[in-house]
Amino acid sequence: MNITAPIRHIARLTPDAVAIVRADHSIITYGMLDSAIDRMAGYAANLGLRAGDVAGVAIELGAASLILALGLARMGAASAAPTLPPGQMKLCFRFGPIAKPGQVRFSDAWLERPAGCSAAAIDPDSSALCRIFASSGTTGVVKHIPVSHEVMMRRVYSRWQAQGGGPLTRMIAVGLGIGWGFTVALMTLWQGGTLVLFDPATAVEAMRRHRVNVLVTSPATLKTLADMRPPGQGPLPDLAAIEVGGSTLPDLVRRAAADRLCRNVVVYAGACEAGGMAGATADALDERPDAVGFVWPDVEVQAVSADHLPLPPGTEGILRVRSAMVAPGYYRNEAATAESFRDGWFYPGDIGTVWPDGMLCLNGRNAELINAGGDKISPHRIEKGLLAIPGVTDAAAFGVPDAAGLTMVWAAITSGAPIEDAVLDAFCDRLPSYMAPRIVLQLEELPRNENGKIRRQALVDLALRLSDPARDAART
């Protein structure tokens, strides 16, 4: 099935129903949306794109780029993150000025132009690609994940089963170009719901105005939205659920969101390579340290040894996941595929535990372990301790090479007011000496990607840019 077919079906049944509310509050009905997808497919065909081709499209939070990606899917071509190497794309659509051959300038005006030609939805082979996503790139290396129409259909269906509701008005405050955001956008449109596009400055007003009943967001953005409402005002009347994913949800952020936006906070865990894997209400996770949710029925997650042997339930190990939603590998990257995909399993790089009741706990990432003089340290454990300090709102631990090339543990925090050195010293004194951060930076915010995950390499780069006097002035 073509991923745009359900949208066409709903457009024929209820053409005047609202499909998308743009950030300026203008609306796109399902009839308008279906016609716009046709126009986008027609423009792509006029530019020489054919079924099976790949075109770069940066899908932000605007309507036009999302509809362009759907138009490419309708004609059987695949949209790709623009980080894909130019030689692997036939052309690349850009919002800004054209800088290189093979680029096409694109704007919101494309939604309003009369059709150059139309394109009927085709029914591609189940393995035909509809989207090539970019990995989070938190390690500094971006990989690309090919997702077929069939796999995307399975991800949408699995996500719909986990959510367990009918048509909803959703505000999606995560990038539509990432796997999670694109999946939720499709699920909303396939159900005949309304997709409310996110504008940080007016988000709370838009939730009220359009009676948004589900907010889909990352922890970092959720904190921003919660901070926009003064304490004591109570939850928004129409908001029935907040769905959070992409990274760990700090307890302070959860409590603020529950008090000011919506008491029903649901946490989801997944990977772009594998789709959704687990979920639960935040309240259900309270008594389980490091828990991220119950593994979904159509997903298998195992903790295994370094030799890929399954470990007993409740034992910490290297996690792997298997389901019909897992991508076949990385796009044109055999080395990375061999490293992360094995015998039908995807290895996301997480260390964790699957308990007998199906609860999944994450205890850090293999690639993020800090090798400090031979001691392997999970930054997650340091971050949990830092977040327990009153006033600390966000935290990250990372390894930085010193002048001799030895890796030292550093950390960075954010807080409403500066944290006294004595408090940080006391925290470090409670840790084993090899684990205690040598320096703790106090920043206004931590660098995160559109998934909400910490960009640790950016923190390492920041530390390396510090001059010796700046290092001496920092707390050691």
Side-chain angles (χ1 to χ4, degrees):
M1 180 182 76
N2 189 294
I3 63 168
T4 68
I7 299 172
R8 170 153 284 173
H9 175 71
I10 293 172
R12 289 171 174 169
L13 292 177
T14 56
D16 296 327
V18 177
I20 297 174
V21 177
R22 292 194 264 194
D24 63 359
H25 304 298
S26 62
I27 66 169
I28 299 174
T29 67
Y30 274 90
M32 295 163 62
L33 175 61
D34 188 56
S35 295
I37 293 172
D38 268 350
R39 287 199 297 275
M40 293 296 188
Y43 293 141
N46 287 346
L47 290 169
L49 286 170
R50 299 292 179 264
D53 288 339
V54 175
V57 180
I59 308 179
E60 307 296 342
L61 286 170
S65 55
L66 173 64
I67 295 172
L68 173 59
L70 293 175
L72 291 168
R74 177 162 285 179
M75 64 168 295
S79 59
T83 51
L84 195 69
Q88 297 179 15
M89 300 182 288
K90 189 164 184 178
L91 54 85
C92 184
F93 295 94
R94 287 176 52 89
F95 275 99
I98 303 305
K100 299 177 182 177
Q103 294 180 343
V104 176
R105 186 163 187 175
F106 173 73
S107 73
D108 286 348
W110 282 36
L111 289 174
E112 313 301 336
R113 294 179 184 174
C117 63
S118 63
I122 65 170
D123 189 13
D125 181 85
S126 61
S127 62
L129 300 183
C130 65
R131 176 71 182 167
I132 300 175
F133 297 100
S135 67
S136 59
T138 53
T139 61
V141 179
V142 177
K143 298 181 285 290
H144 296 89
I145 302 105
V147 176
S148 67
H149 284 260
E150 181 180 18
V151 169
M152 182 54 66
M153 176 192 71
R154 293 182 184 277
R155 291 187 179 188
V156 171
Y157 182 67
S158 180
R159 183 65 181 72
W160 173 79
Q161 283 186 309
Q163 173 252 312
L168 297 169
T169 300
R170 285 188 179 84
M171 172 175 285
I172 299 189
V174 293
L176 299 180
I178 64 176
W180 176 38
F182 193 74
T183 300
V184 174
L186 280 181
M187 181 180 68
T188 304
L189 297 173
W190 285 15
Q191 292 177 282
T194 301
L195 182 65
V196 179
L197 299 183
F198 175 73
D199 180 343
T202 60
V204 174
E205 175 199 345
M207 282 190 276
R208 283 202 200 95
R209 178 172 178 174
H210 302 292
R211 306 188 67 178
V212 170
N213 46 27
V214 178
L215 168 66
V216 182
T217 187
S218 67
T221 302
L222 181 59
K223 179 184 182 303
T224 299
L225 296 179
D227 288 346
M228 293 173 70
R229 280 175 61 80
Q233 286 199 353
L236 293 171
D238 294 301
L239 196 58
I242 299 173
E243 300 178 356
V244 187
S247 63
T248 303
L249 176 63
D251 189 54
L252 285 174
V253 177
R254 177 180 69 83
R255 290 204 301 266
D259 176 61
R260 305 173 195 178
L261 297 173
C262 176
R263 292 190 173 90
N264 182 27
V265 180
V266 184
V267 177
Y268 288 106
C272 194
E273 294 89 340
M277 295 188 291
T281 63
D283 290 342
L285 306 179
D286 268 350
E287 299 178 2
R288 306 287 286 269
D290 307 319
V292 295
F294 293 98
V295 177
W296 292 352
D298 52 354
V299 178
E300 187 177 1
V301 181
Q302 289 183 346
V304 301
S305 68
D307 298 326
H308 310 286
L309 299 177
L311 298 171
T315 306
E316 182 179 284
I318 300 167
L319 295 179
R320 65 182 184 182
V321 58
R322 179 169 65 183
S323 76
M325 298 178 288
V326 174
Y330 292 112
Y331 190 68
R332 298 190 182 182
N333 192 334
E334 294 182 3
T337 297
E339 182 179 347
S340 299
F341 294 83
R342 180 187 178 96
D343 301 326
W345 294 89
F346 168 62
Y347 289 71
D350 294 310
I351 300 169
T353 308
V354 184
W355 293 94
D357 63 355
M359 181 65 80
L360 175 63
C361 294
L362 300 182
N363 303 324
R365 290 186 59 78
N366 249 341
E368 292 176 350
L369 291 178
I370 303 169
N371 188 346
D375 293 308
K376 302 294 181 64
I377 303 166
S378 169
H380 182 61
R381 300 189 187 281
I382 300 172
E383 291 158 7
K384 282 183 61 180
L386 287 168
L387 288 169
I389 297 174
V392 173
T393 56
D394 205 356
F398 51 99
V400 180
D402 65 9
L406 298 176
T407 297
M408 298 288 116
V409 179
W410 285 44
I413 61 171
T414 65
S415 57
I419 305 297
E420 294 182 0
D421 286 351
V423 174
L424 296 175
D425 286 336
F427 164 75
C428 292
D429 289 343
R430 291 193 296 270
L431 295 175
S433 59
Y434 69 88
M435 189 184 294
R438 179 173 178 266
I439 292 179
V440 178
L441 303 174
Q442 299 197 44
L443 306 177
E444 290 186 2
E445 63 179 359
L446 298 187
R448 293 181 178 273
N449 63 15
E450 61 181 0
N451 284 323
K453 294 181 180 178
I454 296 169
R455 294 170 51 229
R456 295 182 195 275
Q457 186 58 48
L459 289 170
V460 175
D461 293 341
L462 171 63
L464 292 175
R465 287 197 303 269
L466 292 176
S467 64
D468 289 340
R471 294 191 188 209
D472 292 340
R475 194 198 64 82
T476 59

